[in-house]
Amino acid sequence: MEKLKMHSPDLSQDNIAKIRDLFPGCVTEARDGATGQLYLSVDFDQLRQELSDSIVEGPQERYRLDWPGKREALLASNAPIAKTLRPAIRESVNFESTRNLFIEGDNLEALKLLQEIYLGEVKLIYADPPYNRKKGNNLVYRDDFVGNTYEYLEKTNQVDESDNRLIANTEANGRFHSDWLSMIYQRLRVAKNLLAPNGVIMISIDDAETANVLHICNEIFGESNFVGTLIWKNATDNNPTNVAIEHESIHVFAKSKATLEGVWKSSVSDIKDVLLRVGGDLVAQHRNIDDLQVAYSSWYRENKSQLGPLADYKFIDAHGVYAGSRSVHNPGKEGYRYDVPHPETGKPCKQPLMGYRFPEETMKRLLSEGRVLFGDDESKLIELKVYASEFEDKLSSVFDLDGRSGAYDLRALFPEASKVFSNPKPVVLMERLLSFATGADDLSVDLFAGSSTLAQAVMELARREGGRRRFISIQYPEEIGQDSKDAKEAYNFCMKAGLRPNIAEISKERIRRSGNRILREEAQSDWNKDVGFRVLAIDTSNMKDVYYRPDELKQGDLLDMVDNVKEDRTAEDLLFQVLVDWGVDLTLPIRRETVQNKTVFFVDDNALVACFDKGVTEELVKDLAKREPLRVVFRDNGFVSDAVKINVEQIFRQLSPSTEVKSI
C-alpha cells in the first residue's frame, strides 16, 4: 500500500525535472551522502551553454536586484517542509460548516502547506508586511527549516537567546535591507503559485521599501504583469520635516495581466447607499415632483462636500436620485445623425459634435422611459439620466481615506479596550480593494493578517452583495510584550479576556466579534451567513522521526517504530495532515461516524474516507469499499493482522476499483 509523503512539494526538484524535459543533457542523478537518497542535479555550465548562441565563459552582467542572502532565500522558498496543520476546534467558529480558514503560524510555511491545495485558485492575495522603517519596531522572520540555515543564522548572530521566530531588525544591523528583502522575496515567490490565472496580489508598503518591492515583483511576476500603484492619502502630517509624508503605496501585480477583466468597476459604495436611502425616504414623503426636488436640493447643499465621486447627483424624481450624463455623445468618430425635438419649443436640439452614439430607435426608447434630460431650450445638448442605483466606481490610482478609521473600526468591536492593535487598516479600504479585484464567490488570502481587517471586509461584502466570498487569514502568534503603552494595553486586554497574549489571538477574536455583529445587520437574502472560520495551527509532523543510524539505536527504538504517530496527536490531527498531503480543500464539510465500532471520517461525503483506529478488520474494509469513496486512507499499523493489510488493495480493486488507497 502506497504511503503519503508527509511533506510539502520540493519545488527545486520539480523545476529541475522540467529542465530535464527540455535539456536532458543538463540534468543528472546524484546521491545524498548523508541519507543515500537519489536527487536530480543540474550541470549549470552546460545549461548556460545550451541557452547561448556563443561560447559561455563566465557570469554575465544583467539588470537585476541583488542582495546578500538572496540565494539562500531562493533555496528556502523552494525547499520542502515536513510540517502539518493541526485543527483547533475550540478556537474555531462553525468548524463543521465554514469555508473560511485562519492559519496560525509562519506565513511562508503556511503557503508551502497550502500551495498544492489551492494551486491557481486564489483571486486576491493581500500582503501588509512589516514596513521596515528605520525608526520603529521592525521584525523579520527567522527561517530555520532549510538545511543548515539555523546554524548559519546562529553564526551570524541572527538568533536570540530565546530562539524566537520573529527577530528584531534594527538599523544597526548590517543587513537591514537584505534581511527584509529575503523575508518578503521567499513569501512572494511561493504566493504566486496560489494565484488564479486572473488573480492579483496587492502589497501595502511605504517609502522605506517601496522601490525594492517593485523590483522584487518585477522579477517574480514580470514587468508586463504590473497593474499599477495605488496611492493612499491616509494622514495629515502636522510635524513635517523636508517633506510631509501623508501617503502609503499599494502595488498591484497580476498573475497574468492578459487574463484580467478589461475594466475594474465596483458597485460597492457607502455614499451610494446613503443616497439611495435618502432618496427613498424623500420619494415616500413627497408626491409632488417640485416639492421632492426642493427637499432633496436642501439636503444636497448641506452634504455636497461629502459626496465625493457622487457630487454630481443633484436631481431626484420618482425613481430616485440621479445625475445628468453626456454619454449620448459619440467619442472620436462620426456617429448617428437625427433630430431630437425639444419638449417645450418643438425645435431640434443641438447635436453633439460627432453625432449620437446610438441609433434613433434607442433614443426613442430612452425618451419613452423618461431617461432624457433637456435644457431650457433647444440650444443645449441633451443628457441622459443616470440614477445613483446604477453608479459604478472606478479604482483611482490616488484616493483619500482617513487612516484613523481603522482604529475606530476596532474600537467599535472592542469597547472595553482603548487599543488592542496599532495602526490597523480600515475596513472600508479592504472593502474597496476586494470589490474591484474579486467577485462574489472568490477566495482571498491575507498573508500578514494582523488584526484581520480583510476577514471582516470579506464578510461585510458578502452580507451587502450576497454570494459566497471566502478568506484565508495567516498570522504568526507574535507575543505581545509590555515595552510600550500600546503593547501594555493589548497585553492587559488579552489577560482580562482569557486570551494568550499574542497577535493571532486578537486577530481571531476580531473575526468572532465582527461576525456576530454582521449577523445582526440587514443583509442580502441570498447571503450564506458564513461568519465562521476553521483555525489550523502549523506544527511539526504528526509522525515520529524513525530514521536512525545503526549505532544510534537504543533500547525501545524498534518498538517506537511500530507506531510512528506521536502520542499527543489526535485522529483529527492525522486527518488534516492527510488533507494537506493529498491536496484536498481544507474547508470541505467533515462528518464523523462510528462504523463497526471504529471512528471513520467522511470528507465531503465520499471525497475522502479515513479511519485511523487500530484493529481494522476485513469486514470494515469491505463496508467502506462498498461506499465507493474517491480516496481512502488507513493507519499503516492499524489493521488487526498483516493478512488484512495485504488484502486491502485487493478488496478495493474488486468492490471499488476507482478508489485511491493509501496509508500513513
Side-chain angles (χ1 to χ4, degrees), residues 343-622:
E344 299 293 335
T345 67
K347 297 179 180 179
C349 291
K350 180 181 179 181
Q351 290 190 11
L353 178 64
M354 304 303 292
Y356 296 107
R357 68 181 178 90
F358 36 69
E360 189 172 7
E361 292 76 14
T362 302
M363 179 62 74
K364 289 179 179 179
R365 177 177 59 80
L366 293 170
L367 286 166
S368 67
E369 294 173 352
R371 297 292 297 262
V372 178
L373 287 172
F374 293 91
D376 294 335
D377 56 39
E378 70 279 358
S379 65
K380 301 292 184 180
L381 293 167
I382 65 170
E383 295 182 348
L384 291 183
K385 287 183 179 180
V386 179
Y387 288 96
S389 59
E390 303 168 332
F391 173 77
E392 288 186 321
D393 202 359
K394 65 179 181 180
L395 184 56
S396 299
S397 62
V398 180
F399 62 95
D400 194 342
L401 173 63
D402 191 342
R404 294 173 297 181
S405 63
Y408 301 151
D409 294 334
L410 276 185
R411 200 167 298 162
L413 293 172
F414 296 88
E416 74 274 34
S418 57
K419 180 177 287 189
V420 297
F421 195 87
S422 298
N423 304 315
K425 292 293 188 290
V427 173
V428 67
L429 171 64
M430 293 296 101
E431 286 184 332
R432 181 175 179 82
L433 300 181
L434 287 162
S435 66
F436 283 104
T438 67
D441 299 314
D442 285 331
L443 172 63
S444 301
V445 171
D446 193 351
L447 202 53
F448 298 82
S451 68
S452 278
T453 302
L454 183 136
Q456 180 178 345
V458 167
M459 296 187 294
E460 293 274 10
L461 281 181
R463 176 190 63 81
R464 291 171 61 170
E465 295 186 305
R468 300 179 181 277
R469 294 179 186 271
R470 296 183 292 148
F471 66 81
I472 299 176
S473 294
I474 307 172
Q475 178 57 44
Y476 186 77
E478 176 188 340
E479 292 187 5
I480 299 172
Q482 300 184 64
D483 53 348
S484 68
K485 180 182 177 182
D486 289 354
K488 287 180 181 178
E489 290 177 356
Y491 181 90
N492 291 334
F493 163 77
C494 289
M495 300 307 292
K496 290 178 181 178
L499 302 174
R500 290 169 294 173
N502 67 58
I503 299 300
E505 290 295 298
I506 293 175
S507 194
K508 288 179 284 189
E509 183 65 14
R510 194 243 181 94
I511 305 176
R512 296 185 193 104
R513 295 190 180 200
S514 60
N516 289 334
R517 190 181 72 174
I518 289 168
L519 286 177
R520 296 193 297 267
E521 297 175 346
E522 183 180 351
Q524 293 289 329
S525 59
D526 61 344
W527 182 44
N528 64 355
K529 295 183 173 59
D530 186 1
V531 296
F533 57 99
R534 283 182 179 174
V535 178
L536 304 176
I538 298 175
D539 205 338
T540 57
S541 172
N542 295 312
M543 305 296 113
K544 295 177 182 176
D545 184 1
V546 296
Y547 299 102
Y548 296 91
R549 294 179 181 175
D551 59 336
E552 292 179 338
L553 281 173
K554 301 181 291 294
Q555 186 176 6
D557 286 341
L558 289 175
L559 293 176
D560 288 341
M561 292 183 192
V562 174
D563 188 356
N564 62 341
V565 177
K566 294 176 179 175
E567 287 78 7
D568 65 335
R569 303 305 165 95
T570 66
E572 285 81 3
D573 292 335
L574 298 178
L575 176 63
F576 273 86
Q577 181 153 1
V578 168
L579 295 180
V580 170
D581 203 73
W582 231 325
V584 178
D585 190 336
L586 298 174
T587 63
L588 291 177
I590 299 171
R591 187 177 76 255
R592 180 176 179 150
E593 289 186 9
T594 300
V595 181
Q596 297 192 20
N597 296 320
K598 302 298 180 186
T599 299
V600 180
F601 295 96
F602 295 86
V603 179
D604 199 24
D605 289 329
N606 266 3
L608 186 148
V609 174
C611 180
F612 303 112
D613 283 358
K614 294 183 179 180
V616 171
T617 63
E618 188 167 313
E619 288 71 25
L620 175 59
V621 174
K622 288 180 179 179

Side-chain angles (χ1 to χ4, degrees), residues 132-148:
N132 209 36
R133 298 184 176 106
K134 290 189 175 181
K135 292 182 179 179
N137 184 25
N138 301 309
L139 295 171
V140 292
Y141 284 88
R142 173 179 63 76
D143 300 318
D144 62 346
F145 47 79
V146 180
N148 63 349

Side-chain angles (χ1 to χ4, degrees), residues 127-186:
D128 185 18
Y131 280 8
N132 209 36
R133 298 184 176 106
K134 290 189 175 181
K135 292 182 179 179
N137 184 25
N138 301 309
L139 295 171
V140 292
Y141 284 88
R142 173 179 63 76
D143 300 318
D144 62 346
F145 47 79
V146 180
N148 63 349
T149 305
Y150 182 75
E151 288 78 7
Y152 166 76
L153 290 170
E154 266 191 321
K155 292 174 183 176
T156 53
N157 298 317
Q158 294 183 60
V159 178
D160 66 11
E161 294 178 356
S162 301
D163 195 33
N164 288 324
R165 191 54 168 277
L166 285 172
I167 58 174
N169 189 34
T170 65
E171 189 178 0
N173 177 15
R175 293 165 54 112
F176 177 75
H177 288 287
S178 297
D179 285 349
W180 189 91
L181 285 167
S182 293
M183 182 270 291
I184 197 68
Y185 181 65
Q186 299 167 41

